[in-house]
mmCIF file of all heavy atoms in Angstrom:
data_model
loop_
_atom_site.group_PDB
_atom_site.id
_atom_site.type_symbol
_atom_site.label_atom_id
_atom_site.label_comp_id
_atom_site.label_asym_id
_atom_site.label_seq_id
_atom_site.Cartn_x
_atom_site.Cartn_y
_atom_site.Cartn_z
ATOM 1 N N ASN A 146 -1.360 13.461 -10.165
ATOM 2 C CA ASN A 146 -1.078 14.794 -9.671
ATOM 3 C C ASN A 146 -0.477 14.671 -8.183
ATOM 4 O O ASN A 146 -1.019 15.212 -7.255
ATOM 5 C CB ASN A 146 -2.368 15.661 -9.619
ATOM 6 C CG ASN A 146 -2.021 17.160 -9.504
ATOM 7 O OD1 ASN A 146 -0.937 17.519 -9.083
ATOM 8 N ND2 ASN A 146 -2.977 17.985 -9.735
ATOM 9 N N ARG A 147 0.706 14.186 -8.159
ATOM 10 C CA ARG A 147 1.374 13.943 -6.895
ATOM 11 C C ARG A 147 1.643 15.210 -6.133
ATOM 12 O O ARG A 147 1.497 15.258 -4.880
ATOM 13 C CB ARG A 147 2.681 13.121 -7.069
ATOM 14 C CG ARG A 147 3.279 12.654 -5.736
ATOM 15 C CD ARG A 147 4.232 11.553 -5.814
ATOM 16 N NE ARG A 147 3.604 10.377 -6.563
ATOM 17 C CZ ARG A 147 4.260 9.333 -6.969
ATOM 18 N NH1 ARG A 147 5.535 9.179 -6.754
ATOM 19 N NH2 ARG A 147 3.577 8.356 -7.523
ATOM 20 N N PRO A 148 2.065 16.335 -6.809
ATOM 21 C CA PRO A 148 2.272 17.613 -6.063
ATOM 22 C C PRO A 148 1.104 18.077 -5.293
ATOM 23 O O PRO A 148 1.129 18.397 -4.157
ATOM 24 C CB PRO A 148 2.712 18.536 -7.152
ATOM 25 C CG PRO A 148 3.436 17.703 -8.245
ATOM 26 C CD PRO A 148 2.540 16.456 -8.240
ATOM 27 N N ARG A 149 -0.111 17.869 -5.904
ATOM 28 C CA ARG A 149 -1.369 18.280 -5.236
ATOM 29 C C ARG A 149 -1.633 17.360 -4.119
ATOM 30 O O ARG A 149 -2.094 17.760 -2.978
ATOM 31 C CB ARG A 149 -2.488 18.330 -6.240
ATOM 32 C CG ARG A 149 -3.843 18.835 -5.616
ATOM 33 C CD ARG A 149 -5.034 18.367 -6.376
ATOM 34 N NE ARG A 149 -5.201 16.911 -6.293
ATOM 35 C CZ ARG A 149 -5.487 16.237 -5.180
ATOM 36 N NH1 ARG A 149 -5.798 16.842 -4.075
ATOM 37 N NH2 ARG A 149 -5.700 14.909 -5.283
ATOM 38 N N VAL A 150 -1.545 15.985 -4.300
ATOM 39 C CA VAL A 150 -1.770 15.040 -3.300
ATOM 40 C C VAL A 150 -0.896 15.318 -2.101
ATOM 41 O O VAL A 150 -1.297 15.314 -0.851
ATOM 42 C CB VAL A 150 -1.539 13.606 -3.917
ATOM 43 C CG1 VAL A 150 -1.494 12.547 -2.705
ATOM 44 C CG2 VAL A 150 -2.636 13.244 -4.823
ATOM 45 N N LEU A 151 0.446 15.503 -2.240
ATOM 46 C CA LEU A 151 1.287 15.654 -1.101
ATOM 47 C C LEU A 151 1.068 16.922 -0.422
ATOM 48 O O LEU A 151 1.249 17.060 0.788
ATOM 49 C CB LEU A 151 2.758 15.516 -1.650
ATOM 50 C CG LEU A 151 3.353 14.174 -1.913
ATOM 51 C CD1 LEU A 151 4.745 14.146 -2.236
ATOM 52 C CD2 LEU A 151 3.109 13.224 -0.705
ATOM 53 N N ALA A 152 0.634 18.096 -1.249
ATOM 54 C CA ALA A 152 0.423 19.211 -0.571
ATOM 55 C C ALA A 152 -0.803 19.168 0.386
ATOM 56 O O ALA A 152 -0.877 19.795 1.433
ATOM 57 C CB ALA A 152 0.078 20.297 -1.560
ATOM 58 N N ASP A 153 -1.797 18.350 -0.007
ATOM 59 C CA ASP A 153 -2.958 18.157 0.801
ATOM 60 C C ASP A 153 -2.637 17.322 2.091
ATOM 61 O O ASP A 153 -3.061 17.626 3.141
ATOM 62 C CB ASP A 153 -4.069 17.397 0.035
ATOM 63 C CG ASP A 153 -5.343 17.342 0.783
ATOM 64 O OD1 ASP A 153 -5.804 18.414 1.348
ATOM 65 O OD2 ASP A 153 -5.999 16.289 0.941
ATOM 66 N N TRP A 154 -1.670 16.356 1.919
ATOM 67 C CA TRP A 154 -1.256 15.564 3.107
ATOM 68 C C TRP A 154 -0.456 16.507 4.029
ATOM 69 O O TRP A 154 -0.672 16.384 5.249
ATOM 70 C CB TRP A 154 -0.388 14.436 2.630
ATOM 71 C CG TRP A 154 -1.160 13.446 1.841
ATOM 72 C CD1 TRP A 154 -2.392 13.393 1.572
ATOM 73 C CD2 TRP A 154 -0.556 12.213 1.288
ATOM 74 N NE1 TRP A 154 -2.787 12.354 0.760
ATOM 75 C CE2 TRP A 154 -1.623 11.591 0.595
ATOM 76 C CE3 TRP A 154 0.734 11.737 1.229
ATOM 77 C CZ2 TRP A 154 -1.447 10.366 -0.067
ATOM 78 C CZ3 TRP A 154 0.895 10.426 0.496
ATOM 79 C CH2 TRP A 154 -0.177 9.837 -0.048
ATOM 80 N N ALA A 155 0.388 17.445 3.485
ATOM 81 C CA ALA A 155 1.138 18.391 4.340
ATOM 82 C C ALA A 155 0.057 19.265 5.125
ATOM 83 O O ALA A 155 0.297 19.626 6.229
ATOM 84 C CB ALA A 155 1.985 19.221 3.459
ATOM 85 N N ARG A 156 -0.966 19.675 4.445
ATOM 86 C CA ARG A 156 -2.002 20.450 5.068
ATOM 87 C C ARG A 156 -2.561 19.794 6.350
ATOM 88 O O ARG A 156 -2.825 20.456 7.362
ATOM 89 C CB ARG A 156 -3.134 20.675 4.131
ATOM 90 C CG ARG A 156 -4.363 21.412 4.699
ATOM 91 C CD ARG A 156 -5.557 21.538 3.677
ATOM 92 N NE ARG A 156 -6.115 20.254 3.344
ATOM 93 C CZ ARG A 156 -7.072 19.578 4.056
ATOM 94 N NH1 ARG A 156 -7.490 20.107 5.201
ATOM 95 N NH2 ARG A 156 -7.521 18.474 3.636
ATOM 96 N N LEU A 157 -2.718 18.512 6.306
ATOM 97 C CA LEU A 157 -3.355 17.709 7.387
ATOM 98 C C LEU A 157 -2.435 17.544 8.532
ATOM 99 O O LEU A 157 -2.903 17.295 9.710
ATOM 100 C CB LEU A 157 -3.852 16.368 6.865
ATOM 101 C CG LEU A 157 -4.833 16.398 5.727
ATOM 102 C CD1 LEU A 157 -5.190 14.908 5.306
ATOM 103 C CD2 LEU A 157 -6.133 17.053 6.194
ATOM 104 N N LEU A 158 -1.088 17.568 8.253
ATOM 105 C CA LEU A 158 -0.209 17.304 9.383
ATOM 106 C C LEU A 158 -0.100 18.441 10.387
ATOM 107 O O LEU A 158 -0.101 19.607 10.039
ATOM 108 C CB LEU A 158 1.180 17.056 8.832
ATOM 109 C CG LEU A 158 1.432 15.683 8.164
ATOM 110 C CD1 LEU A 158 2.744 15.624 7.514
ATOM 111 C CD2 LEU A 158 1.324 14.518 9.231
ATOM 112 N N LYS A 159 0.009 18.085 11.646
ATOM 113 C CA LYS A 159 0.346 19.094 12.678
ATOM 114 C C LYS A 159 1.781 19.492 12.531
ATOM 115 O O LYS A 159 2.577 18.810 11.950
ATOM 116 C CB LYS A 159 0.145 18.494 14.056
ATOM 117 C CG LYS A 159 -1.301 18.104 14.391
ATOM 118 C CD LYS A 159 -1.378 17.439 15.766
ATOM 119 C CE LYS A 159 -2.828 16.983 16.054
ATOM 120 N NZ LYS A 159 -2.962 16.326 17.380
ATOM 121 N N PRO A 160 2.169 20.691 13.070
ATOM 122 C CA PRO A 160 3.543 21.017 13.036
ATOM 123 C C PRO A 160 4.397 19.969 13.768
ATOM 124 O O PRO A 160 4.026 19.483 14.743
ATOM 125 C CB PRO A 160 3.669 22.345 13.797
ATOM 126 C CG PRO A 160 2.265 22.931 13.629
ATOM 127 C CD PRO A 160 1.327 21.700 13.490
ATOM 128 N N GLY A 161 5.514 19.547 13.040
ATOM 129 C CA GLY A 161 6.265 18.458 13.594
ATOM 130 C C GLY A 161 5.783 17.022 13.277
ATOM 131 O O GLY A 161 6.374 16.077 13.595
ATOM 132 N N GLY A 162 4.622 16.945 12.586
ATOM 133 C CA GLY A 162 4.081 15.668 12.111
ATOM 134 C C GLY A 162 4.933 15.060 11.073
ATOM 135 O O GLY A 162 5.638 15.764 10.306
ATOM 136 N N ARG A 163 4.696 13.788 10.942
ATOM 137 C CA ARG A 163 5.563 13.027 9.984
ATOM 138 C C ARG A 163 4.733 12.342 8.931
ATOM 139 O O ARG A 163 3.656 11.791 9.266
ATOM 140 C CB ARG A 163 6.406 11.976 10.739
ATOM 141 C CG ARG A 163 7.495 12.627 11.598
ATOM 142 C CD ARG A 163 8.591 11.677 12.050
ATOM 143 N NE ARG A 163 9.682 12.359 12.727
ATOM 144 C CZ ARG A 163 10.777 11.801 13.178
ATOM 145 N NH1 ARG A 163 10.940 10.455 13.099
ATOM 146 N NH2 ARG A 163 11.668 12.524 13.791
ATOM 147 N N LEU A 164 5.304 12.192 7.709
ATOM 148 C CA LEU A 164 4.719 11.556 6.668
ATOM 149 C C LEU A 164 5.561 10.473 6.236
ATOM 150 O O LEU A 164 6.877 10.632 6.072
ATOM 151 C CB LEU A 164 4.501 12.457 5.436
ATOM 152 C CG LEU A 164 4.220 11.821 4.054
ATOM 153 C CD1 LEU A 164 2.942 11.081 4.030
ATOM 154 C CD2 LEU A 164 4.272 12.877 2.942
ATOM 155 N N LEU A 165 5.030 9.198 6.080
ATOM 156 C CA LEU A 165 5.796 7.985 5.565
ATOM 157 C C LEU A 165 5.056 7.418 4.391
ATOM 158 O O LEU A 165 3.894 7.077 4.578
ATOM 159 C CB LEU A 165 6.107 7.015 6.677
ATOM 160 C CG LEU A 165 6.972 5.786 6.343
ATOM 161 C CD1 LEU A 165 7.627 5.306 7.577
ATOM 162 C CD2 LEU A 165 6.139 4.654 5.660
ATOM 163 N N PHE A 166 5.713 7.316 3.262
ATOM 164 C CA PHE A 166 4.994 6.565 2.163
ATOM 165 C C PHE A 166 6.090 5.786 1.386
ATOM 166 O O PHE A 166 7.294 6.024 1.465
ATOM 167 C CB PHE A 166 4.332 7.578 1.238
ATOM 168 C CG PHE A 166 5.204 8.499 0.400
ATOM 169 C CD1 PHE A 166 5.718 7.985 -0.831
ATOM 170 C CD2 PHE A 166 5.514 9.725 0.863
ATOM 171 C CE1 PHE A 166 6.565 8.865 -1.536
ATOM 172 C CE2 PHE A 166 6.286 10.604 0.178
ATOM 173 C CZ PHE A 166 6.735 10.169 -1.136
#
Side-chain angles (χ1 to χ4, degrees):
N146 197 342
R147 190 162 304 174
R149 187 203 59 75
V150 167
L151 285 183
D153 190 46
W154 296 358
R156 172 185 68 83
L157 299 177
L158 284 173
K159 296 177 182 178
R163 291 192 173 183
L164 164 66
L165 183 151
F166 69 88

